[in-house]
Amino acid sequence: MRTGGDAPHLPATLVGRLERLIFGHRIPILVLFALGTLVLGLTAVRGLRIDTSFNKTLPVHHEYMRTYLDPRVAEFRGADRVLIALIARDGNMFTPQFFAALRRATDEVVVMDGIDRTQVQSIFTPNVRYLEVVEDGIEAGNVIPADFTPTPESMARVRDNIRKAGIIGRLVANDFSGALVSAIVLDTDAQGKPVDPIRVARELERRVRAPLAGPDIDVHIIGFAKVMADIADGAAWVLLFALITLVLTLLAVRIYCQSWRVAFVPVLCSVIAVVWQLGALVLLRYGIDPIGLLVPFLIFAIGVSHGVQKISAVSDGAFAGLGSMEAARRTFRQLLAPAIVALLADLVGFVTILLIPVEVIREMAITASIGVAIVILTDLVLLPVLVSYVHFDAGYHARVARRQRWLSGVWHRLARVTRRRNALVVIVIAAVLGALGWWKGRETPIGDTQGGVPELRADSRYNRDNDAITAKFSIGVDVLTAIVQSQQPLCVSHDLMTWVDRFGWHMRNLLGVQEVITLPFIAKVAIAGWNEGSLKWRSIPREQTQLTQSTRYIETSTGLLNENCDVVPVLMFLTDHRAGTIERAVAQVKQWRSANPVQLAQLRLAAGNVGVMAATNETVEAKQLLILAGVFAAVIVMCLLTFHSVVGTVLVVLPLALVSVLVYAVMALVGIGLKVSTLPMVALGAGIGVDYGIYLFSRMQEFLHQGLPVRVCYERTLRVTGASIIFTGITLAIGVATWVFSPLKFQADIGIMLTFMFLVNMLAAIVLLPALAAWLIHPLGTRQVRRSRA
């Protein structure tokens, strides 16, 4: 009977052939890698670009997105909206200087490439009109008349027109201190080419904010395009933190390896892997989405993690008196199988993200998978070749010996965790932590947890702009649009108009909804105007000619109806896009729809940027468990095939499962929502975190096959690979912990998550795995020892 199954292995003939192939052609391999790095590096420098598109963030198969992408709804999508607010610092917008600035801002937006000119709205555009009853009948006109001059009389007239148009809070500040220019960024230009929202946002900065902002006027800009531009502008900080991570990693590896020559090897191989990854993206005509900027750092971390394991084994061989070549070859033979399994686990972690039907996430998965595939080459081919050329100086043996003597006491004390009483305490603590983590993790919100844009800091310019606009106006860019589609024109149906009006009234009184704009609401204002403005007439008329009259002057350019009046949007402006706000609004729409069915029309969700967020949140919620299940299933299968042991697989997987549960609890505690940018990190963290357990148990299993007790096996394993596992976890955690200081909030959040996962996965492998082994393997190991002695 064998305790842990077969040792992880590949066929000896295959390993031997690979060893001879690699170490027998060292110079050609180095030349090929050097040329590849040069070519791909130049390719990356010349062709790498930030690539973003609003449509890439859409979960296209979701029910809401089928509505959003319906051609009949195209003119009401409004998700990629930008708002430009001009605010007079003295609180009075009715000055010649302010009106000149607002006119210029409107003109610049209208003629700007990438903007839908037909949907630009401000008090200077002809699609913003007023309606009133005069002695001769109905008078309608532009809010800013064609003969406008900035005189006190004209200003007073415009103020009256603004009131009559009902745009206070929508296009004009509630306190008349400022006004908005609203625009929609196109998906494609006239030539059918994708519109770059980052370029549009930078044009707004150059042509609107820069010339118009001054001592008397503040300019605020918000919208998806501006978010992407601000994140892209933060790429310089991302590069700075990448450099800091690189330097800290190199210093830490030097401290661990006791040699600069040795330390450069894993760091250099990891950098080469990142260069190849970026170059490969250009060759495949991929760009990097701002949310995916951190993927190359994960590839660097994976490369360092695996590289340190190899370097540790080579150092042990050199300490034992082997030369560089023989130590490298022995390490290649010993760690080939566990390295392949661990790297495949990393790869599976990335591949499972493809289950999320969002293009930006799938591109991130492809980017990361390419990186891991390259790390397999650099870790299993380039690193052994490079380290075979490393010359260990005369003092290296003495330095390592001093460290071994100091660590021997640490390993001896740490091995006490395998005593069954101590192990039981560890297991009970782990079980309690798992239960508490599961309980707290249920509170992890699906979506954003703060107002503004959580990818940026609360004090960022964008979030300050957002706060200024939401404080002055009754609307913002957080719009949930429900679409009413009918079999007959709504404009001539009292029942359908009333039905839509009741729905709008219901949503207007919901917590978290700032304003609701519907066609019936505007029609009621118009019909009251036909009757001397009497509030008693502000209702939906039953007589068809009156009903038609109430909507006659409402043009399609207002965005409140289509040409046939059989598709009508209900615009719900929310206070923010927090997960709770979105969930509450969507739930109320569904509840009202179920409670108030109608035969000739249907109420569909959803358009607007909040509709996209709701679809994304629901997709993430539906896929999160499936993705983690896929990661764990793949890890279990690979461990079973490699270790040939159910017990060994349990020892590797249980600590990983505990950490995955605790990650959710940490996210709930620090206020990080589960969304498009964080769910991949949960899956990737699980894939990377399993490396520790695989390397630890692969070595431990070798000693178990010798019939030794678990305590002895574990202590010997620690002497061989314990330092490298602990060091790798701490080093990687220190590197990503610096991200907490990044001005990009999403990078700081991911830094917190990865720091936790790197450290706690390492601790779980070092402490919980042997504790479990003490109870699952200890009796068998004892019998084996007795049998061998007999």
Side-chain angles (χ1 to χ4, degrees), residues 377-696:
L377 289 176
T378 58
D379 184 69
L380 300 181
V381 179
L382 179 60
L383 188 147
V385 170
L386 285 177
V387 82
S388 68
Y389 284 102
V390 173
H391 173 68
F392 295 93
D393 59 75
Y396 179 79
H397 189 281
R399 293 195 299 271
V400 174
R402 286 195 300 270
R403 188 183 67 184
Q404 294 277 34
R405 287 194 298 270
W406 181 79
L407 288 175
S408 62
V410 176
W411 304 144
H412 182 74
R413 290 189 293 273
L414 188 56
R416 294 173 184 171
V417 74
T418 56
R419 293 177 180 173
R420 303 194 76 188
R421 180 180 300 176
N422 297 339
L424 183 60
V425 172
V426 170
I427 293 171
V428 170
I429 292 174
V432 171
L433 287 175
L436 292 175
W438 174 80
W439 173 75
K440 186 65 179 178
R442 295 180 304 166
E443 301 175 10
T444 303
I446 308 296
D448 293 328
T449 59
Q450 66 181 56
V453 175
E455 284 77 16
L456 302 171
R457 296 285 187 180
D459 60 352
S460 66
R461 168 179 274 190
Y462 183 94
N463 283 328
R464 294 199 309 271
D465 285 351
N466 183 76
D467 292 342
I469 290 175
T470 54
K472 293 287 186 179
F473 299 84
S474 298
I475 66 171
V477 292
D478 294 328
V479 184
L480 174 64
T481 303
I483 302 296
V484 178
Q485 289 182 300
S486 64
Q487 299 175 21
Q488 66 181 50
L490 272 81
C491 301
V492 297
S493 172
H494 171 268
D495 292 340
L496 291 180
M497 289 283 281
T498 301
W499 183 69
V500 174
D501 188 50
R502 287 173 48 224
F503 170 66
W505 175 256
H506 175 79
M507 296 305 298
R508 187 176 287 113
N509 289 279
L510 179 65
L511 178 66
V513 177
Q514 277 186 308
E515 181 62 273
V516 177
I517 300 175
T518 64
L519 175 65
F521 178 79
I522 303 300
K524 288 194 298 183
V525 174
I527 201 66
W530 278 99
N531 294 274
E532 300 179 349
S534 172
L535 294 179
K536 292 188 296 182
W537 285 91
R538 187 172 283 194
S539 61
I540 306 296
R542 293 181 178 275
E543 207 279 322
Q544 186 169 330
T545 57
Q546 285 188 319
L547 187 57
T548 303
Q549 188 181 54
S550 69
T551 58
R552 178 182 302 168
Y553 295 96
I554 303 175
E555 300 178 0
T556 57
S557 60
T558 62
L560 295 178
L561 73 167
N562 68 343
E563 185 176 358
N564 297 325
C565 200
D566 58 359
V567 179
V568 171
V570 177
L571 306 174
M572 294 163 275
F573 294 88
L574 307 188
T575 55
D576 54 62
H577 54 255
R578 289 183 172 93
T581 305
I582 296 176
E583 185 178 357
R584 183 166 54 249
V586 170
Q588 283 296 316
V589 172
K590 292 180 178 179
Q591 180 180 337
W592 194 92
R593 181 173 62 184
S594 299
N596 299 272
V598 66
Q599 291 183 347
L600 299 177
Q602 58 176 329
L603 183 63
R604 300 178 63 187
L605 284 168
N609 67 315
V610 173
V612 175
M613 292 179 187
T616 303
N617 292 349
E618 292 182 12
T619 300
V620 168
E621 185 173 17
K623 297 295 184 181
Q624 58 166 323
L625 295 180
L626 180 61
I627 289 173
L628 287 177
V631 173
F632 277 89
V635 169
I636 289 171
V637 169
M638 286 187 290
C639 287
L640 287 173
L641 293 176
T642 304
F643 299 128
H644 301 283
S645 168
V646 174
V647 172
T649 301
V650 170
L651 295 180
V652 171
V653 170
L654 280 184
L656 181 66
L658 172 64
V659 177
S660 296
V661 170
L662 293 179
V663 167
Y664 279 85
V666 170
M667 292 173 66
L669 286 171
V670 302
I672 299 175
L674 194 65
K675 51 187 179 178
V676 167
S677 60
T678 54
L679 178 59
M681 298 304 159
V682 174
L684 302 181
I688 297 172
V690 75
D691 297 350
Y692 302 112
I694 289 174
Y695 278 112
L696 185 72

Side-chain angles (χ1 to χ4, degrees), residues 104-115 117 120 207:
R104 179 176 174 181
T106 303
D107 292 343
E108 291 288 355
V109 173
V110 168
V111 300
M112 191 176 296
D113 292 337
I115 295 294
R117 293 170 175 78
V120 176
R207 297 167 62 173

Side-chain angles (χ1 to χ4, degrees), residues 83-88 93 98 102 121-123 162 167-182 218-222 465-477 513-515 573-576:
L83 297 180
I84 303 98
L86 276 66
I87 306 294
M93 63 175 278
F98 183 89
L102 183 60
Q121 287 189 324
S122 87
I123 60 174
I162 288 171
I167 57 175
I168 298 174
R170 292 195 290 123
L171 290 176
V172 176
N174 291 307
D175 59 358
F176 289 103
S177 62
L180 284 177
V181 180
S182 174
D218 290 326
V219 178
H220 308 283
I221 305 174
I222 60 175
D465 285 351
N466 183 76
D467 292 342
I469 290 175
T470 54
K472 293 287 186 179
F473 299 84
S474 298
I475 66 171
V477 292
V513 177
Q514 277 186 308
E515 181 62 273
F573 294 88
L574 307 188
T575 55
D576 54 62

